[in-house]
Amino acid sequence: MTLLQGKNILLGVTGGIAAYKSAEIVRGFKKAGAQVQVVMTRNAQRFITPLTLETLSQNRVMTEMFPSSYEDEEEAGPFLRSTSTNLPEIDHIALAQRADVVLIAPATANIIGKLAHGICDDLLSTLVIATKAPVIVAPAMNCNMYEHPVVQGNLEKLKSLGVQVIEPEAGFLACQMEGKGRLPDPDVIVTFVVNFLHNRQRLLGKKVLVTAGPTREAIDPVRFISNRSSGRMGYAIAKVARQWGAEVFLVSGPTALAAPPGVHLTRVETAAEMREAVLKYFPQVDVVIKAAAVADYRVKEVKDQKIKKKDSGLVLELEETPDILEELGRIKEKQVLVGFAAETQNLLSYAEEKLRRKNLDFIVVNDVSRKDAGFEVETNAIQIVYRNGKVTDYPLMPKEKVAEVILGEILPFLADKETQNRHRGE
Ligand code: PMT
């Protein structure tokens, strides 16, 4: 098996009973063709010996922040062998730089807390802060510890920084309690890492522009016209596109969401501001996905002062906002253009009309009259309509899974464009 051929995996093992499973994790990575460098904390060595992991990884196991010098280059192992100078390399920096991915399995509450707060008091915690490589943690601990708000808060913090978390499993724990906190089987962990590294290649080198959230069109200084979009759908697409290796530009209307890690975020308020930001990025991007719920109308004359309440009622004159997606459809050159259709009836015929009028490659339809799909909720149920008339239905899924489906559908369009460009000699 060569799924991880050429990959350098840095495996951090911390002090929990599940440390015994790290031996099988190392074997799994070796079988997949990876180089494995193990770093153990002091407490990890009470559960499993460095010699076991050294033998299986065929690499010196690192345990100390300040080791004495190595007898020879061979002893240092491929992760640490000096390259162009005779000077010894600084371990935590060399380890941090050479890794393609850092996996901590099992990860105790202690290391999770240290990483969330930037505490570097041993080799493992220091090299995680020093690395540019993606970091994956697989928590394993007593179920009460795992559920503790401090541990959950630390995990949320790590996720917001782009750290991947392999959820522990529920079951019978070493402490004789039943609950969530068990390290998944080694093959589940190895497969997670294989898929993670594979996904990171899928949009590598591509630039993706995503719009999300509502727009707000002012009526007066205190009131506006808007809609119920939370931004969740667009932010999920931006997050997954980044995880798949793309450079992502997210243009967002007002939302309560934090930017996904590593994404360039531009916050806007009105449809006109969104148009301006989108047109700025458009010439350089390969893909545009317009998940934003742009207000279709704005007030013709925005009042400078708060409108006073009158007995005779109030009539507002509205005008259309610019249709950003329709404009992109007119000027598009190399870009794959994907729109959304938020409908409450005649889903497919309305979507088909928008697909053609806006010159899209495909359109994602959601029935926004459903309580469990469309606006605000965590889940969505979509249909994708293509220019050749094909329609694909998908079941109700978390918005991140929907994002994976949409981005997966974009890949063949990108491949086609690349083939066309090659034939044109570009
Ligand atoms: O944000 P969430 O709470 O997660 O909700 C997700 C969502 C329901 C907002 C999302 O899934 C969705 O359907 N987004 C598109 C909403 C919309 O504006 O649909 P539409 O059918 O009105 O517009 C069609 C397309 O034209 C959309 O891609 C829209 O971004 C674009 N458009 C519309 C009007 C306009 N003036 N400019 C545009 O670019």
Side-chain angles (χ1 to χ4, degrees), residues 211-215 217 227-237 255 257 271 274-275 278 289-297 320-328 338-343 350-351 354 357-358 360 363-368 373-380 382 399 402 406:
T211 69
T215 64
E217 313 299 330
N227 57 64
R228 289 171 37 212
S229 171
S230 64
R232 285 203 171 101
M233 190 63 251
Y235 278 59
I237 296 170
T255 72
L257 304 176
M274 184 170 278
R275 172 179 175 272
V278 164
I289 308 171
K290 283 223 74 245
V294 186
D296 286 321
Y297 292 95
E320 275 186 33
T321 55
D323 193 316
I324 308 166
L325 191 52
E326 195 170 328
E327 184 171 350
L328 298 185
V338 176
F340 268 76
E343 309 294 350
Y350 287 155
K354 285 175 184 165
R357 178 162 50 85
K358 302 192 186 203
L360 310 175
I363 192 160
V364 181
V365 201
N366 37 200
D367 178 351
V368 291
F375 289 104
E376 293 175 312
V377 287
E378 304 271 2
T379 48
N380 208 356
I382 61 161
K399 281 182 175 165
V402 174
I406 294 167

Side-chain angles (χ1 to χ4, degrees), residues 174-375:
C175 54
Q176 310 295 308
M177 289 172 73
E178 285 239 28
K180 199 169 172 186
R182 237 176 51 169
L183 190 73
D185 283 344
D187 57 339
V188 172
I189 291 180
V190 171
T191 305
F192 184 99
V193 175
V194 168
N195 290 341
F196 174 79
L197 289 173
H198 170 71
N199 281 343
R200 274 171 67 82
Q201 307 293 318
R202 300 180 96 178
L203 285 170
L204 201 65
K206 299 293 176 208
K207 293 186 180 182
V208 175
L209 170 60
V210 182
T211 69
T215 64
R216 266 184 198 171
E217 313 299 330
I219 297 171
D220 67 15
V222 297
R223 304 178 178 98
F224 54 78
I225 298 173
S226 191
N227 57 64
R228 289 171 37 212
S229 171
S230 64
R232 285 203 171 101
M233 190 63 251
Y235 278 59
I237 296 170
K239 180 178 172 189
V240 175
R242 179 71 196 130
Q243 283 173 358
W244 287 15
E247 181 169 11
V248 179
F249 303 93
L250 174 62
V251 176
S252 170
T255 72
L257 304 176
V263 162
H264 308 284
L265 174 68
T266 307
R267 288 202 184 273
V268 297
E269 195 152 314
T270 63
E273 286 170 11
M274 184 170 278
R275 172 179 175 272
E276 199 181 314
V278 164
L279 289 179
K280 182 177 119 193
Y281 292 119
F282 189 63
Q284 53 166 310
V285 299
D286 305 284
V287 176
V288 180
I289 308 171
K290 283 223 74 245
V294 186
D296 286 321
Y297 292 95
R298 63 186 170 200
V299 174
K300 207 162 177 186
E301 225 181 280
V302 181
K303 298 286 184 230
D304 290 340
Q305 304 298 331
K306 183 180 170 196
I307 301 170
K308 299 311 284 178
K309 201 171 157 186
K310 288 183 223 133
D311 287 342
S312 52
L314 177 68
V315 175
L316 295 171
E317 194 180 348
L318 303 181
E319 63 179 8
E320 275 186 33
T321 55
D323 193 316
I324 308 166
L325 191 52
E326 195 170 328
E327 184 171 350
L328 298 185
R330 276 197 301 274
I331 62 174
K332 84 167 173 182
E333 288 172 352
K334 56 171 186 173
Q335 295 86 353
V336 178
L337 202 54
V338 176
F340 268 76
E343 309 294 350
T344 54
Q345 57 177 338
N346 306 327
L347 271 63
L348 291 180
S349 58
Y350 287 155
E352 168 100 358
E353 186 278 324
K354 285 175 184 165
L355 172 76
R356 303 217 171 271
R357 178 162 50 85
K358 302 192 186 203
N359 191 22
L360 310 175
D361 290 282
F362 65 82
I363 192 160
V364 181
V365 201
N366 37 200
D367 178 351
V368 291
S369 66
R370 280 175 67 154
K371 289 243 171 318
D372 54 1
F375 289 104

Side-chain angles (χ1 to χ4, degrees), residues 17-193:
I17 179 62
Y20 79 91
K21 292 188 184 172
S22 61
E24 284 297 324
I25 295 173
V26 172
R27 268 167 56 86
F29 285 144
K30 290 300 287 180
K31 264 174 52 192
Q35 280 280 357
V36 185
Q37 172 66 64
V38 178
V39 174
M40 297 177 82
T41 61
R42 196 159 295 168
N43 282 335
Q45 296 165 61
R46 297 159 77 119
F47 291 95
I48 182 166
T49 67
L51 182 60
T52 306
L53 300 182
E54 208 151 274
T55 310
L56 293 169
S57 67
Q58 297 164 301
N59 245 334
R60 196 169 187 278
V61 167
M62 307 298 298
T63 55
E64 295 302 322
M65 182 75 179
F66 307 108
S68 49
S69 59
Y70 307 109
E71 289 289 309
D72 58 33
E73 293 265 296
E74 280 311 311
E75 196 191 336
F79 258 71
L80 284 175
R81 224 162 273 150
S82 61
T83 44
S84 56
T85 70
N86 289 327
L87 293 172
E89 293 190 279
I90 303 169
D91 287 358
H92 60 275
I93 303 294
L95 290 170
Q97 281 176 347
R98 307 247 166 101
D100 291 301
V101 64
V102 175
L103 166 70
I104 305 181
T108 55
N110 183 47
I111 188 80
I112 290 166
K114 287 201 283 189
L115 298 184
H117 293 88
I119 295 169
C120 308
D121 63 354
D122 62 5
L123 178 60
L124 183 60
S125 52
T126 306
L127 73 85
V128 173
I129 302 292
T131 193
K132 289 266 183 235
V135 177
I136 303 173
V137 296
M141 64 196 77
N142 163 270
C143 50
N144 291 346
M145 288 174 76
Y146 180 69
E147 281 162 14
H148 195 285
V150 168
V151 173
Q152 288 303 314
N154 287 339
L155 284 169
E156 282 312 310
K157 172 90 183 286
L158 291 182
K159 283 182 194 169
S160 77
L161 295 171
V163 172
Q164 301 291 308
V165 177
I166 304 177
E167 292 289 320
E169 287 175 354
F172 190 66
L173 305 173
C175 54
Q176 310 295 308
M177 289 172 73
E178 285 239 28
K180 199 169 172 186
R182 237 176 51 169
L183 190 73
D185 283 344
D187 57 339
V188 172
I189 291 180
V190 171
T191 305
F192 184 99
V193 175

